[in-house]
Amino acid sequence: MTEQTTPDDITATVLASFGRSPDERLGTVMRSLTAHLHAFVKDVALTEEEWRAAIGVLTATGHITTGKRQEWILWSDALGVSMLVDALANRAPASGAGDGGGPAGAATESTVQGPFYVPGAPRRGYGERIDEMPAGEPLWVHGTIRSLDGRPLPGAELDVWQNGDNELYAVQDPEAPETHLRGRFTAREDGSYGFITVRPTPYPIPHDGPVGRMLSATGRHPWRPAHIHVIVRAPGHRPVTTHVFDRDSEHIDSDAVFAVKPSLLRELVARSADDPERPPGITGAWWSLTSDFVLVPVGPAG
Ligand SMILES: [Fe+2]
């Protein structure tokens, strides 16, 4: 009598089907995907009804995705996969030795880029503002860009983007100029940079689609704590894509995309209109935020 085919037989057959992949890496990835996916289906004893529901969710994800709405990345973000891929690609090196004339510091940690980055932000000068229409309370952001050994990095580029107090990035806001709340700054001879912006506010990730339905069905919220996005680049160094977070922001302990790292938290300091450090270009009460960035050299000289 022929033995019955078991669930494990099915898994073994599918695994074997990838045994001759001409692309070795692809074969490895597909076998691992099969092994974990089959294990998941067995672990939860997936029902036929749940399988049909899952196909419906994937179909809806494809249908809602456009050039401006990327629901697949939202799934990756909301399931922590974006952070995991970033963490594997950017493992932190040891701290610098401090022999470059400046203070030693740990390399700035990376975090997700998110869906709102648009390349080609306008170049702006030291101390200039990035808000091009009313968008919130004035905020002075400044600091120094250094190499891992403490040496300042004149000419390093700081590419910044953020949302305003309407919770929107310029790319989402039909009322905003496309260069609003975006800018590229060049570090001065001593590695310093500075710009005027507005205090960022928490905002929800798009939650009117399949990801939003998953969040509400599982008792999660779509909010991200207030942050400013930056990419820091300098010749001879690995660029870092990261955020600075308002450490006192609502949702700082429950970011919907898991992007908060303790080393990225910064204090926003309340300043009065008559504060002697008030930068030209700000009137009235303001906030300040100090954030240094430390880049890792690439190549054998590092
Ligand atoms: Fe963001």
Side-chain angles (χ1 to χ4, degrees), residues 54-274:
I55 296 298
V57 167
L58 295 174
T59 304
T61 299
H63 285 170
I64 203 172
T65 296
T66 66
K68 289 195 162 179
R69 170 71 180 265
Q70 232 306 350
E71 195 77 0
W72 295 104
I73 292 182
L74 226 42
W75 275 115
S76 171
D77 292 350
L79 294 176
V81 174
S82 304
M83 280 303 290
L84 199 52
V85 171
D86 173 71
L88 293 173
N90 298 286
R91 291 179 200 265
S95 298
D99 50 5
T108 299
E109 286 193 283
S110 59
T111 190
V112 292
Q113 178 170 292
F116 303 123
Y117 176 64
V118 179
R123 292 191 182 279
R124 305 184 193 269
Y126 181 88
E128 289 185 356
R129 57 194 322 132
I130 64 171
D131 51 320
E132 298 183 352
M133 57 186 241
E137 302 168 48
L139 169 65
W140 169 242
V141 180
H142 67 117
T144 301
I145 304 174
R146 296 180 182 279
S147 187
L148 198 55
D149 66 1
R151 165 173 57 101
L153 292 174
E157 183 180 82
L158 190 79
D159 193 346
V160 304
W161 69 105
Q162 68 164 84
N163 62 301
D165 61 1
N166 64 357
E167 300 175 353
L168 299 177
Y169 287 78
V171 68
Q172 299 172 286
D173 184 358
E175 307 296 315
E178 63 179 38
T179 50
H180 177 54
L181 294 174
R182 300 168 55 209
R184 281 183 292 164
F185 295 87
T186 304
R188 301 190 295 183
E189 276 309 303
D190 59 356
S192 65
Y193 75 89
F195 63 92
I196 298 170
T197 182
V198 295
R199 200 177 173 169
T201 65
Y203 65 86
I205 61 171
H207 55 104
D208 57 344
V211 171
R213 290 194 284 279
M214 178 278 288
L215 293 175
S216 65
T218 55
R220 287 175 54 181
H221 69 72
W223 289 89
R224 300 213 57 212
H227 58 271
I228 299 171
H229 293 260
V230 299
I231 300 174
V232 189
R233 308 175 181 96
H237 291 73
R238 194 163 83 193
V240 65
T241 299
T242 191
H243 299 8
V244 291
F245 289 93
D246 172 359
R247 70 172 196 190
D248 297 317
S249 174
E250 204 177 345
H251 313 297
I252 197 73
D253 295 321
S254 61
D255 185 356
V257 306
F258 309 100
V260 176
K261 293 178 174 177
S263 72
L264 304 178
L265 303 182
R266 299 288 180 271
E267 181 182 11
L268 273 68
V269 181
R271 309 274 203 147
S272 63
D274 55 5

